[in-house]
């Protein structure tokens, strides 16, 4: 191991009593056993049905068990929140099991249907996971944003109580530091002066494929210190520190420091005799070495040489305790060995390695666990089980608020918006936010907005002008003070309701995750609205997926979108996002054309993001009872607005995904289906076709996602012929899209058009088996005006008319053939 810059914290007075230390070590021993056993049980004991390997990560667990045990059994306060590195899920479940928060059945069903999840999951695990993890780096990043949101919530003083901040903690793998999102988050945290954050690096110097660079720890130190963090190295355990006090101590320490990571790992795997051989050769002639080696047998020597800081309960507790009381963000570099205490220890291929049944047998004996006692919480321990039970009762972590804690639902009063003759959805969005900013109700108080450096260009500036930017300390707007004229106020204060972000889109989605979990994490509901340019959703897509996987609630407003962003060119024109909106679970996607549609959708969205499964659902077959996050794909293209007051039915149809803008004649042969900014082209084609096909209709699709989801759900219900409380309801399930299309003739032709990938709407032809031709953008756009681009990519009125004629010809052929 290469030399450390930092020396570990000095050996201080034992701040933990020997009895408590012994109990913590015992619990840690049990946690390691249970985690190993639950993985072994899943792979070797539980009957396999499909021939697939089940997997699990015994070595990743072993590496972090002391750190986790120290946290959960001693250090964590009731409101501290932890992101546990994905591969340590069994350690987390084992700890919760000992607390009585995890069932035996779930432990036994680890990685099986209905059992404990492979990686900690907020939504699928039953033992109160704080942050889901799995895609490395994201769980780490989200703790930083959670800490910022904790500050936000505290400073807003929503409740009457004075709140004391808790720690947001990530227990992370060292390879997670390779993920760029970590550094994007660090920089953002620095800008916002993040506090109360601990990142504990399980520095086992191994990733999945191999051993990490010898000098990584130096880089970690400089990265973190650059952005104002404290870095604490936990390199040597107490046994090592004591050995360093002996006559050969200085040489021994130098040898450890100089030993390359891969060699250290290899000798660890080989064990005591190998340590002896290397030390005898390399330190030959060192005074006191002979005595040191002779006074320890192989097992004792191995124990000392592998007694790294991260495996030594006392060292870990000291380091954590010493960091308490200071809210400076702190990175602990805890030296560990992957597979510590297991026969897999140190082997470079141990990431997915599992103990064999023989090895497990030996491990069981070493843990004094009797056959049949594998799951017993305290079997084989030296401490009296009653004492441990008593100990566990008093652990501070136990006092955490119930996972089911809910905050009151914020009512959504209608948004007051004047009518415009011509406007775009992006402008309307700004106006809606402006109208909300002027209100003095709970809804506008709970809204929090954020944007990655596109606040102004996504039309949030009106809102920000009224509500201000959030910063923990008051910060005047220098331009305003200097009387430089600008329509945009940029004053920052604890009362502000917009959190400014740098350009990194990953940060936007992690921020939305944290904002959208505020209710569960901090007991205070926020209504987050985040804006970005639609094409850059792809930049942060994994983080968006991560936010949805955690069931974080927010409204994502993506604008501008598509080739309608004409002069801006192909690099900014999104194509695939409508499909992302459809395919992303937990995200209801809308793409309205008109201002009144957007208004209805936003009113609905503020309510939808608050739902939790307990209310009633007004629309069948969708997840409207459970709620979710919302994605609005908007446009800068000004459109003539329909002169109308939305009636209740149309409003409901807009929310269900579509309505007839121009109703077809009953049994009509042809319909044009459009989404969003393509409304004028659809209407122009409709005008042109009306003479030929008098009954032609125009179907406005406001949400291909919800139309499609409703159709799938209704089909499933019919397939399963479930009987519900309402008798045969499911047997006769009819989705909204089926109802809409039933106005047309069975053999009608459909033509769809969207400024996005045509597959977004193409499935509609399958709903009733109608002929369909779908227009949309499949290839990268380029600069141009709308006329040129719509013509080039064939989404203009000419293309729609061509497609209508083509589908009609085809339809006639089919009719003739059938007859
Ligand atoms: C984004 C992402 N890429 C790849 C993986 C696959 N993967 C799982 S663990 C791992 C290496 C983890 O190493 P480290 O973080 O050091 O964990 P530990 O050594 O503690 O197991 C990789 C590449 C993943 N889970 N997430
Ligand atoms: Mg590692």
């Amino acid at each position: 191991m290469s030399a450390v810059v930092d020396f570990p914290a000095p050996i201080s007075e034992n701040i933990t009593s020997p009895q408590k230390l012994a109990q913590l070590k015992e619990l840690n021993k049990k946690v390691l056993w249970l985690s190993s056993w639950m993985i072994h049980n899943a792979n070797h004991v539980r009957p396999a049905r499909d021939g697939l390997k089940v997997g699990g990560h015994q070595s990743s667990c072993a590496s972090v068990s002391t750190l986790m045990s120290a946290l959960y059994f001693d250090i964590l306060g009731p409101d501290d929140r932890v992101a546990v590195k994905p591969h340590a899920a069994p350690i987390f479940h084992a700890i919760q099991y000992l607390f009585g928060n995890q069932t035996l059945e779930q432990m036994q069903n680890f990685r099986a249907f209905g059992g404990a999840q492979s990686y900690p999951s907020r939504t699928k695990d039953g033992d109160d996971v704080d942050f889901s993890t799995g895609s490395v780096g994201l769980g780490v990043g989200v703790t930083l944003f959670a800490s910022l949101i904790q500050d936000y919530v505290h400073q807003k003083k929503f409740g009457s109580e004075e709140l004391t901040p808790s720690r947001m903690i990530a227990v992370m793998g060292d390879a997670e530091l390779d993920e760029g999102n970590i550094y994007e988050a660090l920089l953002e945290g620095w800008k916002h002066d993040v506090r109360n954050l601990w990142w504990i690096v399980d520095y086992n110097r191994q990733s999945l494929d191999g051993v990490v660079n010898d000098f990584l720890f130096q880089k970690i130190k400089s990265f973190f210190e650059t952005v104002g963090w404290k870095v604490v190295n936990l390199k040597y355990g107490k046994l090592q520190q004591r050995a360093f006090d002996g006559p050969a101590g200085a040489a021994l320490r130098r040898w450890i420091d100089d030993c390359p990571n891969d060699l250290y790992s290899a000798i660890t795997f080989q064990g005591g005799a190998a340590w002896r051989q290397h030390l005898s050769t390399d330190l030959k002639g060192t005074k006191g070495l002979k005595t040191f080696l002779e006074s320890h047998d192989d097992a004792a020597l191995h124990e000392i040489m592998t007694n790294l800081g991260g495996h030594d309960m006392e060292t870990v507790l000291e380091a954590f305790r010493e960091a308490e009381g200071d809210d400076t963000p702190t990175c602990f570099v805890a030296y560990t060995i992957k597979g510590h205490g297991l026969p897999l220890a140190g082997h470079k291929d141990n990431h997915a390695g599992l103990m064999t049944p023989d090895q497990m047998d030996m491990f069981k004996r070493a843990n004094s666990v009797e056959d049949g006692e594998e799951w017993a919480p305290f079997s084989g321990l030296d401490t009296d089980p009653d004492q441990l039970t008593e100990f566990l009762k008093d652990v501070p972590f136990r006092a955490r608020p119930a996972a089911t804690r809910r905050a009151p639902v914020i009512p959504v009063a209608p948004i007051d918006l004047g009518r415009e003759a011509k406007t775009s959805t992006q402008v309307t969005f700004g106006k809606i936010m402006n109208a909300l900013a002027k209100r003095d109700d709970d809804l506008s108080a709970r809204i929090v907005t954020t944007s990655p450096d596109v606040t102004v260009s996504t039309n949030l500036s009106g809102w920000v002008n009224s509500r201000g930017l959030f910063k923990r300390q008051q910060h005047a707007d220098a331009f305003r003070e200097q009387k430089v004229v600008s329509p945009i106020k940029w004053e920052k204060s604890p009362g502000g309701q917009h959190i400014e972000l740098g350009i990194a889109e990953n940060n936007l989605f992690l921020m939305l995750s944290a904002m959208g979990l505020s209710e569960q994490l901090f007991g205070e509901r926020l209504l987050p609205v985040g804006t970005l340019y639609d094409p850059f959703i792809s930049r942060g897509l994994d983080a968006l997926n991560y936010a949805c996987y955690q069931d974080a609630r927010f409204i994502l407003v993506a604008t501008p979108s598509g080739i309608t962003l004409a002069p801006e060119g192909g690099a900014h024109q999104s194509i695939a996002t409508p499909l992302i909106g459809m395919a992303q679970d937990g995200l209801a996607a809308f793409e309205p054309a008109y201002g009144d549609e957007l208004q209805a959708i936003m009113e609905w969205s503020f309510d939808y993001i608050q739902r939790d499964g307990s209310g009633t659902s007004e629309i069948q077959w969708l997840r409207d009872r459970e709620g979710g996050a919302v994605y609005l794909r908007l446009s800068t293209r000004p459109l003539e607005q329909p002169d109308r007051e939305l009636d209740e039915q149309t409003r409901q149809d807009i929310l269900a995904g579509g309505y007839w803008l121009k109703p077809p004649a009953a049994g009509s042969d042809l319909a044009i289906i459009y989404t969003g900014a393509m409304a004028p082209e659809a209407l122009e084609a409709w005008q042109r076709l009306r003479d030929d096909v008098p009954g032609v209709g125009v179907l406005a699709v406001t949400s291909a996602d919800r139309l499609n989801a409703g159709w799938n759900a209704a089909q499933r219900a019919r397939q399963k012929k479930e009987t519900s409380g309402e008798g045969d309801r499911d047997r006769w399930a009819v989705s909204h899209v089926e109802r809409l299309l039933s106005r047309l003739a069975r053999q009608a032709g459909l033509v769809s058009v969207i400024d996005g990938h045509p597959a977004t709407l193409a499935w509609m032809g399958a709903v009733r088996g109608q002929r369909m031709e779908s227009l949309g953008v499949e290839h990268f756009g380029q600069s141009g005006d709308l006329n040129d681009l719509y013509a080039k990519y064939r989404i203009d009125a000419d293309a729609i008319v061509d497609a209508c004629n083509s589908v009609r010809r085809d339809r006639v052929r089919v009719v003739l053939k059938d007859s």
Side-chain angles (χ1 to χ4, degrees), residues 193-209:
D193 190 24
V194 69
R195 310 270 99 196
N196 302 301
L197 187 62
W198 283 9
W199 285 2
I200 303 165
V201 183
D202 174 6
Y203 194 51
N204 59 27
R205 291 145 293 133
Q206 277 184 253
S207 59
L208 196 162
D209 286 337

Side-chain angles (χ1 to χ4, degrees), residues 321-361:
R321 289 248 171 265
E322 234 167 81
E324 283 176 340
D326 177 356
D327 66 2
T328 309
T330 303
C331 173
F332 298 89
V333 183
Y335 278 70
T336 54
I337 289 165
K338 199 154 169 168
H340 182 68
L342 310 181
L344 312 165
H347 198 290
K348 76 176 178 55
D349 306 331
N350 64 10
H351 183 76
L354 297 173
M355 282 189 264
T356 63
D358 284 348
Q359 287 174 323
M360 195 67 203
D361 252 7

Side-chain angles (χ1 to χ4, degrees), residues 747 771 809-819:
Q747 306 280 4
R771 304 277 320 157
R809 275 197 304 276
D810 243 27
R811 195 191 70 80
V812 171
R813 258 185 245 128
V814 172
V815 174
L816 289 179
K817 217 171 86 201
D818 285 357
S819 57

Side-chain angles (χ1 to χ4, degrees), residues 684-686 688-689 751 775 796-806:
E684 189 189 328
W686 174 76
R688 286 206 235 152
L689 287 159
V751 167
L775 305 176
D796 61 357
D798 287 349
I800 299 172
V801 171
D802 288 349
C804 286
N805 289 332
S806 162

Side-chain angles (χ1 to χ4, degrees), residues 16-54:
T16 309
S17 73
Q19 191 203 7
K20 185 170 174 186
L21 195 60
Q23 286 168 331
L24 288 169
K25 285 182 180 174
E26 287 276 271
L27 289 168
N28 178 38
K29 189 172 161 195
K30 185 47 72 181
V31 165
L32 177 61
W33 159 259
L34 283 170
S35 71
S36 304
W37 176 253
M38 73 193 280
I39 297 169
H40 183 81
N41 176 71
N43 286 276
H44 294 287
V45 181
R46 201 170 63 210
R49 294 192 304 180
D50 56 7
L52 285 186
K53 169 178 171 266
V54 178

Side-chain angles (χ1 to χ4, degrees), residues 63 259 288 312 353 502 523 543 563 618 685 776 789 811:
S63 159
C259 184
D312 189 274
I563 60 169
E618 67 271 29
L789 294 184
R811 195 191 70 80

